[in-house]
Amino acid sequence: METTSPNHRTGWLMAAVAWLVMLLVSDLPNILLNLRQGEPDWLFLTKAGVLVVFLCVTLFVPKLRLLWQVAVIFLAFLLIRRASAWLGGTALWQNWFGQGGNRFYRGHLGWQLLGLLEMTAMIAVTLAVRRQPSAFFLAKGQLDAPLQPVRWLGIGSGERWSTFGWIFGGCIAAGIAIFVAASSWSAFSNFGKAAALYPGVILFAAMNALSEELTFRSPLLSTTHEVIGQGQALAFSSVFFGLAHFLYGDPSGVIGFLFTAFVAFLFGKSMLETRGSLWAWFMHFVADIPIFLLYALTSV
């Protein structure tokens, strides 16, 4: 993989600045302030201001200039998510998806359509920045690409994604299924009643996995891995994704953060090593099935 080669000191400076800005504009402030009911305007404006300053700094400070794409992606992400939240709260959107009919299908369809709108906007911004779809992993990738060794997972050399993509996906889905069963076992009494919702479980899991991979993961990885290094970029995007699930994820809290950051590491690793998104989408999709199954079971 070809990467840029800033000198060691400049590389660490860029990495430190990128990490600081990411933590400031992530959900970390929301977590520290325990903002479980949404983000207030003052905090949104503060984050936007930080990113505008960051973008200006990258344009005028030569040692940080390679971070300008990261600044653009974060600013776009913040604005797009805010616009999505506004749209989802409008009377028109609520009339379409917030009331009447089957609440599982209507509610989750509205949620997933917002996610797809966010994804489309982020793809447009990332395409403007990176120019080529393959540069931000908008391709299936090499599905049998070599899997780089991960000693702490017991994975040595010679393995391939064509084997471990299935293994990782199955293990992640099994882990989430165990958590769902342990935390909400009583909901499984509705298993027969919820049968009509199971097509929606598959559909919404697939939609959610696609939108999150192309909204959260590929834009960040594509603009950081050549600047701060592949390992730093993986950790960077994984922590950002994990923090986004601390307050609002399933699971949430510290366990949710750690688990989500871990699986985000695997999803991101697959993107970088296969140069595509298909394995990341597949692993995310099968991981989401138990979560949407729980939503279905608790809706009847």
Side-chain angles (χ1 to χ4, degrees):
M1 180 183 302
E2 296 182 1
T3 60
T4 56
S5 300
N7 66 57
H8 182 74
R9 181 176 298 177
T10 302
W12 276 104
L13 175 63
M14 288 193 296
V17 171
W19 273 95
L20 176 61
V21 171
M22 183 273 285
L23 292 174
L24 288 174
V25 302
S26 70
D27 276 0
L28 181 60
N30 307 56
I31 294 166
L32 296 176
L33 295 170
N34 197 30
L35 299 175
R36 295 182 177 274
Q37 302 303 316
E39 186 173 83
D41 290 341
W42 69 265
L43 184 54
F44 164 75
L45 292 174
T46 300
K47 292 180 179 181
V50 168
L51 288 172
V52 170
V53 171
F54 177 44
L55 178 58
C56 291
V57 169
T58 64
L59 295 177
F60 292 104
V61 178
K63 289 184 178 181
L64 298 176
R65 191 157 296 157
L66 291 176
L67 291 174
W68 75 269
Q69 294 182 351
V70 183
V72 170
I73 289 299
F74 268 130
L75 187 57
F77 179 83
L78 190 74
L79 296 175
I80 289 167
R81 296 276 287 181
R82 188 69 170 192
S84 175
W86 170 82
L87 177 60
T90 60
L92 178 62
W93 197 269
Q94 289 298 311
N95 286 336
W96 284 350
F97 301 109
Q99 58 190 11
N102 182 285
R103 66 189 180 100
F104 173 77
Y105 274 109
R106 288 178 66 92
H108 285 283
L109 180 60
W111 173 24
Q112 294 306 321
L113 287 178
L114 287 174
L116 291 181
L117 289 174
E118 293 173 12
M119 178 195 75
T120 303
M122 283 301 298
I123 288 175
V125 172
T126 312
L127 184 59
V129 169
R130 298 293 290 160
R131 303 300 177 89
Q132 294 293 330
S134 59
F136 58 98
F137 316 112
L138 195 61
K140 71 175 183 179
Q142 182 186 347
L143 301 184
D144 64 344
L147 175 64
Q148 297 302 313
V150 185
R151 302 301 180 188
W152 53 276
L153 284 178
I155 299 172
S157 59
E159 304 294 351
R160 292 190 172 272
W161 277 102
S162 52
T163 298
F164 271 84
W166 297 103
I167 294 173
F168 287 150
C171 290
I172 294 168
I176 294 180
I178 291 170
F179 172 83
V180 166
S183 61
S184 305
W185 182 251
S186 60
F188 283 84
S189 62
N190 294 328
F191 195 84
K193 299 177 184 177
L197 306 182
Y198 295 156
V201 169
I202 302 300
L203 174 64
F204 296 144
M207 293 171 69
N208 189 69
L210 180 65
S211 63
E212 290 196 350
E213 289 306 312
L214 298 181
T215 300
F216 280 88
R217 192 131 22 253
S218 69
L220 270 187
L221 280 178
S222 68
T223 53
T224 55
H225 77 95
E226 294 178 342
V227 178
I228 63 176
Q230 180 171 310
Q232 287 270 16
L234 273 176
F236 184 87
S237 63
S238 299
V239 169
F240 182 71
F241 193 66
L243 289 171
H245 288 72
F246 188 99
L247 291 175
Y248 316 114
D250 289 302
S252 60
V254 174
I255 293 176
F257 165 74
L258 293 174
F259 184 80
T260 305
F262 169 68
V263 298
F265 166 80
L266 296 178
F267 300 162
K269 182 175 172 64
S270 75
M271 277 192 180
L272 290 173
E273 294 178 3
T274 68
R275 305 299 299 174
S277 298
L278 187 56
W279 274 125
W281 170 82
F282 170 76
M283 292 187 288
H284 199 150
F285 163 59
V286 295
D288 276 350
I289 290 175
I291 296 172
F292 282 93
L293 175 61
L294 176 62
Y295 295 158
L297 295 176
T298 55
S299 71
V300 296

